[in-house]
Amino acid sequence: MGSKEADPNLGYLTRKDTEVKLPRPTRVKNKTPAPIQITAEQILREARERQEAEIRPPKQKITDATELGDYRLRKRKEFEDLIRRVRWNISVWIKYAQWEESQKDFSRARSVWERALEVDYKNHTLWLKYAEVEMKNKFINHARNVWDRAVTLLPRVDQLWYKYIHMEEMLANVAGARQIFERWMSWMPDQQGWLSYIKFELRYNEVDRARAIYERFVQCHPKVGAWIKYAKFEMKNGEIARGRNVYERAVEKLADEEDAEQLFVAFAEFEERCKETERARCIYKFALDHIPKGSAEDLYRKFVAFEKQYGDKEGIEDAIVGKRRFQYEDEVRKNPLNYDAWFDYIRLEESVGNKERTREVYERAIANVPPAEEKRYWQRYIYLWINYALYEELDAGDVERTRDVYRECLNLIPHEKFSFAKIWLLAAQFEIRQLNLMGARQILGNAIGKAPKDKIFKKYIEIELQLGNIDRCRKLYEKYLEWSPENCYAWSKYAELERSLSETERARAIFELAISQPALDMPELLWKAYIDFEMSEGEFERTRALYERLLNRTKHLKVWISYAKFEASAMEENDGDSDMLENGVQENHLKQKEECIQQARRVFESAISYYRTSAPELKEERAMLLEEWLNMESSFGELGDVSIVQSKLPKKLKKKRQITSDDGVVGYEEYIDYMFPEETQTTNLKILNAAYKWKRQRTAYDEDD
């Protein structure tokens, strides 16, 4: 039963044997504060005073060899028993071996060390302590034997090699230490091992040997740091040509590595220390051309500092441009669809003036086509093409390349979904500047066929009109109106064109066609243009008929006022040379004036009648109409009669009305109301009727009494 409960981790003792028994805590029944309080200092002082003297085992003094033998036997038995229990515990083995060493029994100590190594030979601490014991007691050959076995079994533990070499070097056995280093280097250790070997050779002034080791080092570890250390070694020894050769070989092998920036910076600084500023500048520029822009931040900073120190004005500007170029490259790498960054980058390259580089950036920019075929994503992108075409035409002066840019851009745009009139017009204007009229017409014709727009029609008509091609203009207007028959601007401009050609009947026919359209975007402008046209032709009857037709469609306030003003203006136009007429003719002219005034009054009367009967809710419009009539009567002078209007003017009243919302009544607001004369009479009649009714009721009540 006891063997089952025994735990090997506890030296085959039971849990009960190793359990720590603590005193049972006493329960405090009375928790009230004691009358006499004591401090922690008093408690500690009393504990110190009552503390019993420490019980120490008596010192054993060995007087003869028999007692010594018994002591050694007993001690060895304890160690052996402990080893049997915890054989895997290395610290027990080490204590056992060190005890044997303290007894100067080195053969037994070696035996213990060897037995420990049989248990765990991979524990390098055992080897280190074993060898240190041999070294401390000046058993050099034994120590060499231990180190040799250790590095053979554990060649990847650098500490063993370092200790072994240090021992040989302390013994002035340089050849032996070198031999050990060579054995170690055959295992290709890390950089620190190689550098230790190099420092070892340099301590004994073996520069050539150190150089040979460096050659093997950079072959074993072809890293930037290794080559830089090699070059600095040559520089320190005054071998500038050799150092430059090392850097050149490193650039050939490591120019495409990730940390090549560090190599180029070190190479340029080397040349700078050698006073070779041109070489350093060439290295910086070569590096900036070959290293990706995202990993050249430190290089740009060093280059700018170099140019500020050694360069002229142009060199400093080039360095600053290079730094900005790096920033833009970083931005467009993170987000290729950031067209604002591309614009800034292109502007920078254009300011430098390198055509090839500018074209390269333009080509890279336009290659980032928006992912979705929606116009809002293309609105910034399309300006890349526009700027590219303008650059090729104005700065580079390459006509064919400009034409190719416009052609590629027009082919790229999905015209069935959306288009850009600006591109079509710029391409056509470019062809006109090149005196290629047929090419411009072809581009504009394709635009009308693929993606007709108002701007394209207007510009095409303007070009043909400047060239005097009236028939083409008419055809274009016809196409324009076929595409957009509701466009009042197109109808007006077409009629204006015919009128400018003195084609009055054609212009009138166009206006008639226009107003007969079932839907128009701005009919008021079209009617106004038609009316102005007839008035300019002196066709007052036609104008009057047009107003009547317009009033049949709409009874808008402005139409009534415009109609009345027209009737009054007919009087003013007939009044042009009244001072030169004779008396009889003047009387006739006065009659015509009166007729015009009567016509204007008739229009106002009709309008007032309409607002009173058909639209009584439009009080404000009616008041404005009366005010306009009053002003017109005042402008007639002696022929006017202001009293006609004054009797019809309303009274302005301030009233309040409720403001309602979803939650109910929110508050009240003031507004201006108008009360017209007929409404006042109606109100008075209502009051009289109510009084008469009350009187009758009162009389009937008195009779009953």
Side-chain angles (χ1 to χ4, degrees), residues 571 593-602 636 639:
M571 173 193 77
K593 273 187 174 183
E594 290 175 359
E595 286 179 9
C596 291
I597 291 169
Q598 291 300 325
Q599 289 285 354
R601 285 174 182 159
R602 181 185 60 79
F636 289 154
L639 297 176

Side-chain angles (χ1 to χ4, degrees), residues 387-498:
N387 290 354
Y388 191 10
L390 293 175
Y391 170 77
E392 291 291 353
E393 181 186 359
L394 302 176
D395 294 348
D398 194 335
V399 175
E400 286 303 319
R401 200 176 179 91
T402 308
R403 190 172 284 120
D404 291 340
V405 170
Y406 278 122
R407 188 184 303 115
E408 290 298 323
C409 178
L410 290 171
N411 290 336
L412 183 66
I413 298 170
H415 299 291
E416 65 277 1
K417 293 187 177 179
F418 59 86
S419 186
F420 293 93
K422 186 183 287 292
I423 286 289
W424 292 105
L425 296 177
L426 286 171
Q429 287 167 349
F430 163 73
E431 295 295 350
I432 290 171
R433 286 195 293 275
Q434 305 306 318
L435 304 180
N436 184 9
L437 197 59
M438 290 300 296
R441 281 181 177 146
Q442 186 177 1
I443 289 169
L444 291 171
N446 287 337
I448 290 171
K450 288 183 178 179
K453 285 179 173 288
D454 286 326
K455 284 184 182 177
I456 296 171
F457 277 112
K458 289 174 187 176
K459 194 65 180 177
Y460 198 179
I461 290 166
E462 182 186 338
I463 291 168
E464 294 295 353
L465 195 57
Q466 288 173 350
L467 296 171
N469 295 324
I470 304 302
D471 290 336
R472 282 183 179 274
C473 289
R474 283 177 176 149
K475 287 179 182 176
L476 286 171
Y477 270 121
E478 288 170 7
K479 290 282 186 186
Y480 193 179
L481 293 169
E482 281 178 19
W483 172 68
S484 178
E486 74 282 353
N487 194 330
C488 292
Y489 172 84
W491 287 106
S492 302
K493 286 293 180 182
Y494 191 8
E496 189 180 326
L497 171 68
E498 296 295 351

